[in-house]
Amino acid sequence: GEYSTHLFSRLAVDIVHTHASNPESRRSPLFLSLHYNAPHSPTQPGVYQRSFPRPWWYYGGPKRKSYLGTVLGMDTALRWVLDALKDTGMWNKTLIVFSSDNGAYPGRGLNYPLRGGKGTYYEGGTRMPSFAYHPQWHNVDGYRSNALIHFVDWLPTLAAVGGARQSQLPHALDGIDFSHLLKSPVNRAFVNRQRMVYGAVEYTKTGQAPGVARRSIKGGYREGWWKVVVDSASTPAREGWYTNSDSYSSGPPSFGNESDSKLRHFSIWNQHWALFHLKADPYEERNLLYTNFGRFLRLRQRLYQYIDASTRPLSEKPKYRNRPLDADPAKHGGFWTHGWCESM
């Protein structure tokens, strides 16, 4: 077999060269979406492990060492695609976007001093590095924006970059166009997003039906600097902060300066809720729920509203529960799809 990271890049390079060599296709824009398995688990660095010859403890743990090798493999293979853009003369008119989809998993990547990691609604599990580069736009040394941007914002943003009009996009998109931020550092602080849903899932506990007063949900919601989370972590071990090791650390960045009563979630209706102010407390150390209970109730209600308005998974409907092959590309014009969500 072929190392999948190499395979994906090799196919991407073929697409770039094919597009550039055909006069007809070269007159049209190319959209290339390249999603590696790396560095997602299982972390299999292959030959790139040789670049990290020291014992695992030097790198912070065996999982961390494998993760570093997997990332190096991705970086190397990605370079092949960038070189293809340069070799074909497409580099100077290409917008390159690099982004992850969630925070790092404990013991592999590092989110510290942010709280939590992958699988949680804390900032360590949801904030992620991204960058965009266009040779004709970015003639400065680079700049950083602290604007609030959600992953769904990429659709209207890239559509605007490609020249699409708002009227050509689907109605009532959740995403917001921030293409002005990509083109000019002057606009780097402004994006018209004040609200964001980190996640919103409703489930049924034993002996409890959906829709009753004590709803069982997990998720997170933000307005401005205020953020509410409920049952954020799948296990208690993921509630905390972790450093360069295979397990979470015992305390927040303040290392014991906060009392336990401020760190823990408060149990309401058998669920664990927390309210944070991210500007004053970016590491989510202080639960402000009891001192801002009215604000908490308003944010909680907004989270419920998003859940009620969301499209229900097909798996919740009896006729779809025994159809595991709904994603079969033969049913969708040759394309793989999720198979578990209805069309809007």
Side-chain angles (χ1 to χ4, degrees):
E2 184 174 358
Y3 193 54
S4 64
T5 306
H6 291 176
L7 173 63
F8 296 157
S9 276
R10 182 172 58 78
L11 294 175
V13 168
D14 289 344
I15 291 173
V16 170
H17 281 285
T18 299
H19 180 85
S21 61
N22 187 317
E24 184 175 349
S25 65
R26 194 178 178 91
R27 289 194 293 267
S28 302
L30 170 66
F31 176 75
L32 177 59
S33 183
L34 177 57
H35 301 273
Y36 294 104
N37 289 111
H40 195 281
S41 61
T43 48
Q44 297 173 328
V47 297
Y48 297 101
Q49 192 72 91
R50 301 171 188 169
S51 299
F52 302 91
R54 298 191 181 188
W56 60 262
W57 49 261
Y58 177 84
Y59 303 102
K63 294 179 182 178
R64 173 71 173 167
K65 181 178 179 179
S66 295
Y67 179 84
L68 293 175
T70 307
V71 171
L72 178 60
M74 180 185 66
D75 288 346
T76 302
L78 184 58
R79 177 62 181 266
W80 302 348
V81 182
L82 301 185
D83 286 344
L85 291 171
K86 295 176 181 178
D87 293 342
T88 57
M90 297 173 61
W91 171 261
N92 287 329
K93 51 185 179 181
T94 298
L95 171 65
I96 298 169
V97 175
F98 183 90
S99 181
S100 180
D101 59 346
N102 49 247
Y105 194 82
R108 296 180 175 91
L110 296 177
N111 306 310
Y112 193 83
L114 298 179
R115 186 175 185 174
K118 179 177 179 177
T120 77
Y121 296 113
Y122 296 118
E123 294 299 286
T126 54
R127 288 185 62 177
M128 56 188 181
S130 300
F131 70 82
Y133 176 77
H134 193 294
Q136 294 182 358
W137 294 352
H138 301 146
N139 54 0
V140 294
D141 292 333
Y143 56 89
R144 176 180 296 180
S145 172
N146 292 320
L148 180 61
I149 297 172
H150 194 284
F151 206 85
V152 298
D153 297 334
W154 280 116
L155 172 56
T157 298
L158 294 178
V161 169
R165 298 185 301 273
Q166 189 71 27
S167 59
Q168 295 176 288
L169 299 178
H171 178 65
L173 284 178
D174 292 320
I176 295 174
D177 173 19
F178 64 92
S179 56
H180 58 281
L181 185 148
L182 298 178
K183 296 181 179 180
S184 172
V186 176
N187 297 318
R188 64 187 177 186
F190 175 74
V191 172
N192 189 28
R193 174 174 289 285
Q194 298 298 319
R195 301 183 177 94
M196 190 173 80
V197 179
Y198 290 80
V201 180
E202 184 169 8
Y203 59 96
T204 303
K205 288 187 175 181
T206 303
Q208 178 178 312
V212 298
R214 296 182 178 181
R215 304 174 67 175
S216 296
I217 68 170
K218 63 184 300 183
Y221 174 71
R222 173 175 170 177
E223 283 190 7
W225 291 106
W226 289 96
K227 173 183 177 182
V228 62
V229 295
V230 53
D231 284 353
S232 175
S234 56
T235 62
R238 295 189 182 186
E239 293 283 352
W241 299 257
Y242 64 93
T243 54
N244 193 9
S245 66
D246 282 341
S247 61
Y248 280 88
S249 65
S250 58
S254 54
F255 291 110
N257 292 335
E258 298 295 337
S259 66
D260 178 68
S261 63
K262 290 183 178 180
L263 291 176
R264 71 171 184 260
H265 281 52
F266 292 102
S267 182
I268 302 176
W269 306 302
N270 295 320
Q271 294 211 271
H272 302 292
W273 292 85
L275 179 70
F276 302 107
H277 190 278
L278 295 179
K279 184 175 183 179
D281 180 27
Y283 309 138
E284 297 170 295
E285 300 179 54
R286 297 179 292 277
N287 189 352
L288 304 177
L289 187 151
Y290 279 178
T291 57
N292 294 268
F293 198 69
R295 186 181 299 275
F296 157 70
L297 290 177
R298 290 193 295 272
L299 295 182
R300 181 184 70 118
Q301 183 59 31
R302 288 290 294 168
L303 185 59
Y304 284 155
Q305 290 171 354
Y306 274 102
I307 292 176
D308 292 337
S310 63
T311 301
R312 310 306 298 173
L314 294 183
S315 58
E316 293 185 3
K317 299 185 178 183
K319 67 177 181 178
Y320 290 107
R321 287 176 181 167
N322 297 316
R323 294 174 58 181
L325 297 179
D326 283 338
D328 189 336
K331 300 179 180 180
H332 304 282
F335 294 94
W336 280 101
T337 183
H338 39 66
W340 46 260
C341 191
E342 288 182 301
S343 300
M344 296 297 290

